[in-house]
Structures are given as C-alpha cells and as structure tokens.
Amino acid sequence: MEHYYQEEIECASPEQIRKIQDEKLRDQVKHVWDNVPYYRKKMEEAGVKPEDINSVDDLHKLPFLSKADLREAYPYGLLGVPLKDCVRIHSTSGTTGKRVVAFYTQGDIDLWEECCARAICAAGGTEEDVCHVAYGYGLFTGGAGLHGGSHKAGCLTVPISSGNTDRQIMFIMDLKATILCCTPSYAAYLGERMKELGYGPNDIPLKSGIFGAEAWSQEMRADIEKTLGIKAYDIYGLTELSGPGVSFECSAQQGMHINEDHFIAEIIDPDTLEVLPEGSEGELVFTAIDKKAFPMIRYRTRDICSLTREKCSCGRTHVRMQKPKGRTDDMLIIRGVNVFPSQIETVLLNHGYAANYLIVVDRVNNTDTFEVQVEMTPEMFTDNLGEIEDRQKELTDGLKAMLGIKAKVSLVAPKSIARSEGKAVRVIDKRKI
Ligand code: DLL
C-alpha cells in the first residue's frame, strides 16, 4: 500500500494544483518585487510588472536567475526578508568561486522538512522505522533536510552524518536501521564494506534507501539494491531551492515527483532559453513559490532532464522529472563529442564492474586525451596480463559504442580508487588547470 505524508496535496487534481500555483506565483512575484531590489531591477529591465503575472501561463515573461546572479548578489543581495527573520543558512559544496549561501525563515524550514517527509513516506517510512541519516550534517543540506523529514515522518532518527564507515555499519546492524539516507556512491561503498564483513542482503535490516545529491545510473541502483537487499529511491534537490526534497521517487521508480505546491518546473533550451514542450530534454528551471527568505524565480539549475505528466501508479499527481543525466557543467566535451560521466557508468556496470572509476581528460599536442580508470572487482582481479588486456579491449569497445569516441581504458586493482563519503569526484579534467 502506498504511504503518503500529505495525501490530499500529493494526490490533488491537476486543476487544484494549478490553482494553488497561480495564487502562490502572484504572491511570490509581488513579494520579490517589493523586497528584492536585485530581482526587481531585472524585471524592470525586462519590462515586466507584478500585474503582468496572473498565472503560470505568464511565467515565461519573467527573467531568469542563474548561479552568476547568486555570485553577484552574494551574500545578502537576494534576501527576501529582513535578516532578523532568518533562522538558518546552508551553503553549497561548490569548489569554484564563491559558495552559494541560502537563507531560511522558520516557515521555509518547515516546508522543506515536509518535502523530505513526503520522500521518506514514499520510501515506506512510518513511525515504526529507524532512519539512518548518513548525509553530511553542517552547511550541506543533505543531513539537515532528511533529518527534519525523518522527524516529521515520525521515524526514529539516527543523525550519524557521514564518515567512519565501520561505525555506520555497527549502528545499522545494532539499531536495526530500516531506511538509509546517503549519497548513492556512499551507499555503494557501505554495501561493499558490509559484504567484506560477511553480511549478505538477508542479514542487513535495511528495507529502503533514499539516495541523491549526485547523478547515478539505473545500473548502479540495481547494484545497490542487490548488495543491501533494499529498494533504492532517488531524491533530488539543490541548496538554492532549500535542499533535498524538491522531488522524490515513489514505489513506481519511474522518475521523481516534483513538489508542485512549492515549486514550478520548466524545461528550457539552454542555448536559446526557449521553454520546451513536455517530454523534451533540456535544462531544468525552477520557481520557488513558497520560500520567503531566498525566493528563487526561474532559477536555472543547469541540470539536464525531461518532465512527464503521464499518470503514475502510486497515485501522486505531481509532475515527474527523469533522473538528471548530469549538469550542463558536468558534461565533458572530448574531441568535440559530448560525454556525460553517467553514460560511462552505465557501460561499466553493464560489464560487471562497480561504480569505482575515474575519468581523466587532458590535452596533449592540441588533441584531447581521454582515459577511464576502472577498478577490477575482487572476483575478477587477476595479474594475468592477457586477460586484463582482453577486458580492457572489451570495455573500450563498449564505451566506443555508447559515446562514439575511443577511450583508453586502464584496469586498476580493487580498492585503488578513493571511496567517497559524500558526492563522488569522478572526473579530473586537466585541460582546465
Ligand atoms: O545535493 C541537495 C541534496 C542532498 C539532494 C541530498 C539530494 C539528497 P547541492 O549540494 O546544492 O544540493 O547540489 C545540487 O546536485 O543541481 C544536481 O546537479 C545534483 N543532484 C542533486 N540530487 C540529484 C539526483 C544537494 N538525485 C546539485 N540526481 C543539483 C542527480 C542530483 N543529480
């Protein structure tokens, strides 16, 4: 039986949702016009006034916000309420430039935690469950978001944060954790370590996992589900829009339902900025219609995916987004060809490898070099060079068929590629250095 946190709104009719969005959008645009001079100026430049925005149909008239705006307005330029009304900040783990700092009122936190509670309930969470939150706590939104959601869903919450893998496993086993929340790469590592310690899927008390914060393939899902003996649910979000819980997967595992009573989603062509019809792949853009302290309007996420309104077997009516296949800024252009790390991951997992790999790109004599280092699994480990060469060739062919270009595949020993406790780093692009 499908379990909901707020069934009435999660299963509301499309007309009801649309009505909510129209009303909230009008209020939010007025709120921003009155309180965020940075965005008001953008609206004035675009010749749009709050009176011009009556419904979602008018959304396209509003200017976009991008990461560059966030940088320019850092730290307080996009605040929608006096600082005294804010109760918390979170920040992105960005490695380049200024970090994004997002602000929250107590109301903003409540609705964010509700979104996370919806995700936990969709993964079967009830007050009988023990929810092991192994996303990082602190400035990162993963820990705080799922922690709050777990409380709201009534689970027993284990705020373990990331790190110290053997201690994590001890808590999972001793406290009989039923729901695991962490990045998919960390879930894979936990699974690997549990197997080493002799725990099979039937020994592990977990029943489901809520994994997100980075792109992961269907093949990786299958791998984690098998090792841990769980059902693995995807969850999506970003700091600028609160954090995790902007969208989440249900039992159907056919895309993530976007919490449409709080966020309006659009897909645009990242080059022409034109809004694309349902089903097209493009850049995901969100308008947060409830958040007051950091009210993002038409925020360009740089994530690439598509949307569908097809009926979902779980009963939820909110639009679904497909797994983002990566970010526009994750996309590598190698010898003129677009390459997403997730495509490489698919090939590796289809050939029986785990998601332990590193992509190294460089430029030598004006030509891009493209190497994929892949760990052999303990089962396939060998020092027979002929066998290694055969396997490398097999993967080179598989990658060529997927990407259309040739990669140098280097098989490396098990455990020689660093494991991640948070978001995995899978690309080293030396061309940018
Ligand atoms: O990663 C929030 C989060 C925490 C989501 C825990 C899910 C679970 P940021 O650090 O601001 O926030 O990074 C946001 O991560 O724009 C996507 O590119 C990527 N991302 C997040 N979830 C997914 C996902 C958090 N399920 C950026 N699949 C986003 C693919 C994801 N990419």
Side-chain angles (χ1 to χ4, degrees), residues 136-379:
Y137 279 61
L139 286 174
F140 179 52
T141 54
L146 271 308
H147 177 97
S150 170
H151 271 233
K152 284 212 162 32
C155 304
L156 175 64
T157 310
V158 183
I160 195 147
S161 191
S162 58
N164 200 339
T165 304
D166 283 2
R167 187 184 64 184
Q168 301 259 357
I169 295 172
M170 185 191 84
F171 270 98
I172 291 173
M173 299 307 292
D174 293 355
L175 298 182
K176 303 205 169 20
T178 49
I179 301 177
L180 171 64
C181 305
C182 62
T183 59
S185 49
Y186 195 48
Y189 178 40
L190 275 169
E192 181 184 8
R193 183 71 189 137
M194 286 175 118
K195 201 165 161 188
E196 271 174 12
L197 294 173
Y199 297 119
N202 293 331
D203 311 315
I204 301 172
L206 293 169
K207 66 173 184 187
S208 54
I210 304 179
F211 306 133
E214 60 186 0
W216 54 307
S217 58
Q218 296 293 1
E219 291 75 14
M220 188 158 169
R221 183 206 310 261
D223 217 40
I224 296 172
E225 290 190 330
K226 192 163 128 238
T227 321
L228 293 175
I230 60 173
K231 189 158 171 160
Y233 296 79
D234 202 351
I235 183 165
Y236 168 90
L238 51 160
T239 313
E240 296 87 319
L241 296 170
S242 305
V246 170
S247 66
F248 62 88
E249 234 172 19
C250 61
S251 57
Q253 294 182 318
Q254 296 283 328
M256 295 177 270
H257 291 280
I258 294 170
N259 283 307
E260 283 194 286
D261 49 331
H262 302 308
F263 304 101
I264 305 176
E266 300 169 276
I267 294 283
I268 62 161
D269 178 322
D271 298 320
T272 64
L273 306 183
E274 177 197 352
V275 179
L276 300 176
E278 185 191 321
S280 323
E281 191 173 270
E283 179 179 349
L284 192 53
V285 171
F286 281 109
T287 299
I289 45 180
D290 266 317
K291 254 155 54 76
K292 291 294 175 254
F294 204 58
M296 294 285 104
I297 295 198
R298 297 197 90 198
Y299 182 65
R300 294 184 57 181
T301 63
R302 299 192 279 187
D303 292 318
I304 302 291
C305 72
S306 60
L307 300 177
T308 175
R309 289 204 172 270
E310 266 169 42
K311 198 168 175 319
C312 185
S313 60
C314 77
R316 289 180 184 79
T317 45
H318 296 207
V319 68
R320 277 170 293 156
M321 57 183 268
Q322 295 312 317
K323 261 183 178 306
K325 72 174 186 198
R327 303 173 63 104
T328 42
D329 47 2
D330 261 3
M331 190 182 77
L332 291 156
I333 304 183
I334 306 175
R335 291 174 219 138
V337 176
N338 298 349
V339 175
F340 282 98
S342 56
Q343 295 174 299
I344 296 177
E345 184 173 300
T346 299
V347 174
L348 301 184
L349 276 92
N350 278 337
H351 282 80
Y353 295 82
N356 299 313
Y357 62 95
L358 198 58
I359 302 162
V360 184
V361 189
D362 201 351
R363 185 162 293 157
V364 179
N365 297 332
N366 293 323
T367 307
D368 292 336
T369 60
F370 172 29
E371 182 189 4
V372 184
Q373 299 174 2
V374 189
E375 257 188 39
M376 285 180 270
T377 61
E379 297 77 39

Side-chain angles (χ1 to χ4, degrees), residues 113-139:
E113 292 181 349
E114 271 172 22
C115 290
C116 290
R118 289 181 193 174
I120 290 172
C121 291
T126 67
E127 47 195 32
E128 307 292 331
D129 281 285
V130 177
C131 185
H132 183 98
V133 184
Y135 283 110
Y137 279 61
L139 286 174

Side-chain angles (χ1 to χ4, degrees), residues 415-430:
K415 300 208 130 180
S416 53
I417 292 176
R419 299 293 186 268
S420 155
E421 290 166 354
K423 297 187 193 231
V425 178
R426 306 211 195 271
V427 180
I428 300 180
D429 192 343
K430 297 184 182 166

